Amino acid sequence: MSGIIGANNQFGHDFHNPDANMQGIIVSIYDIGCAAGCLTSLFFGERMGRKRMIVAGASTMILGTILLASSTTIAQLLVGRIVTGLGNGFNSSNIPVYQSELCDPRIRGKLVSAQGTVTIVGLCIAYWMDYGLSFVNGPIQWRLPIAFQAFFAICLLLQILPLPETPRWLIEKNRNNEGAEVLARLQPTDADIHDPVVVYQRKSIESSIEIESAGGPFRWKELLQGGKIQNFRRIILCCAVNIMQQLTGSNMINYYAPVVYASTMHLSRNMSLILGGCTSLTYLAGSFIPLFTVDRFGRRALLMFSASGLCFCFSMASILLSVGTTKCAYAATAMVFLFQIFLGIGFLPIPWFYPAEVTTTRIRSRGQALGGFTNWMFVFIVVQITPIATQNIQWRTFIIFAVFCFLWVPIVYCFFPETNQLSLEDIDHLFEGGGITGGVFKSRGRPVQSHVHEMETGLEDQKDTMVAAEIENAGGIDGKATEVRFGQDAWQGS
């Protein structure tokens, strides 16, 4: 909407030139829909499963797009934004969980970060479509770019239909054989449910779920409990990382880049639109960086590096804009571009999948839903206040977000555990160290090491026995390959 709203164009004419407050409502009401979708997932996601919630999300977004593209009144436009947001809330609560539960832990960060990159591809298409159609007269100027988002929802729907449900959800619902069949399909070589690697992975998941379910059926108060598993701490982390993402000021730029350029840097509408599109391309370039770094340096390092860079960029932008000259305004624009690079490095992808990594199977969908709800509510707040803030305090808006970014560095260091290279079963043991930081500060972010779940449940000994048996059955000629099959290379979805 950033390239459509806030200008004297066909959209403004058709909807009677909404003022700054109504602009904020039109843009941010979408986020209320997203938050509602996350809340719906909180209560129904675990029952319906990851796949069916994604199907529901894509279908709802298609319906919402139809309402948006056919809007003739502000009321219909707002309803369409809410419905589309509802579908996106389903997706943002369940797609990261679905991906995390199917990924090899060694490349889980890369694969889930790719979701952010694909999202930014869509953002770039939207920006440049808005700009290109700004030279066209008539309702197509805004109806076509709004309608085009249905293309991606249709692609998602067609993609998810032939894919399986995650093995963890199936096993948790006592559909163990179906879960084993999915594990077998995920193996790099032909395998069935009796394959030793599949049997081993199945036992690992079953033992983890057995530990988590020791207290009987799920009760909502578990989300507020501490104990050995520390569910409440996990839920706080799910919500905190998403609050932190929004208070970096990312969506002040992503939603309103042209408006920010025009109001705080006093650039022309055309130049503001061009720079908004270029900003999205820079964002896209930055989103490729974690594909090569997140599984090498880990989540904590990228979050702290990202926050430091974001703080620097917005601090410099506010200083340059305070001078008030044209040259300084251009330099501040460069800082916004650099901001997008630092955002792509850490605070773009990680908050979306970190909740799925830091929670146990028993509460994963609920933790991701609560994290998503918190994220979208803070998107709503930021998007709602941005037009008002830039109109009233102008460049000083950057200072507020720079201070927040500065605070995120020590918070991540002290409280956020590293999940890189850990299986989702290992993550069950993250906070057994206890204390105010859950053992994070004392261990410098590494409270547990990989394969701790195997050692604590006795599965390590079973793995050694299975490896020896398979080597013996193979005549001892392929022992190295067998060990690899039982290692992380074959640990699909762990």
Side-chain angles (χ1 to χ4, degrees), residues 271-347:
M271 179 58 71
S272 296
L273 284 172
I274 292 174
L275 288 177
C278 292
T279 301
S280 69
L281 292 176
T282 307
Y283 196 18
L284 177 61
S287 72
F288 280 97
I289 297 175
L291 301 184
F292 307 98
T293 58
V294 70
D295 289 316
R296 180 177 180 182
F297 299 107
R299 288 53 163 157
R300 283 165 47 87
L302 293 192
L303 285 175
M304 290 187 285
F305 181 75
S306 177
S308 301
L310 298 176
C311 177
F312 169 77
C313 292
F314 270 1
S315 297
M316 290 302 300
S318 61
I319 292 170
L320 291 165
L321 289 173
S322 68
V323 177
T325 64
T326 302
K327 290 183 178 180
C328 286
Y330 286 136
T333 302
M335 288 295 105
V336 173
F337 276 68
L338 186 59
F339 174 92
Q340 295 291 70
I341 295 291
F342 280 110
L343 181 63
I345 289 173
F347 267 100

Side-chain angles (χ1 to χ4, degrees), residues 416-490:
F416 283 69
E418 184 56 70
T419 57
N420 185 32
Q421 306 298 318
L422 296 178
S423 74
L424 295 183
E425 282 65 49
D426 289 335
I427 286 171
D428 288 3
H429 305 274
L430 269 179
F431 301 113
E432 292 178 354
I436 296 176
T437 67
V440 175
F441 180 78
K442 183 178 180 181
S443 64
R444 297 184 180 181
R446 281 282 188 182
V448 299
Q449 300 300 317
S450 60
H451 304 300
V452 64
H453 179 74
E454 302 171 36
M455 293 183 285
E456 293 204 8
T457 58
L459 284 170
E460 182 72 24
D461 295 335
Q462 293 184 36
K463 181 173 78 171
D464 293 340
T465 302
M466 290 180 180
V467 170
E470 186 159 333
I471 292 174
E472 183 177 350
N473 292 336
I477 59 174
D478 200 20
K480 183 176 181 180
T482 299
E483 290 178 359
V484 169
R485 283 191 356 104
F486 279 91
Q488 285 189 323
D489 287 309

Side-chain angles (χ1 to χ4, degrees), residues 65-97:
T65 302
I66 294 171
L67 290 171
L68 281 171
S70 62
S71 294
T72 56
T73 65
I74 287 284
Q76 183 179 344
L77 187 73
L78 294 176
V79 171
R81 291 284 285 171
I82 292 172
V83 173
T84 309
L86 187 71
N88 195 41
F90 293 164
N91 293 335
S92 62
S93 293
N94 292 278
I95 290 177
V97 174

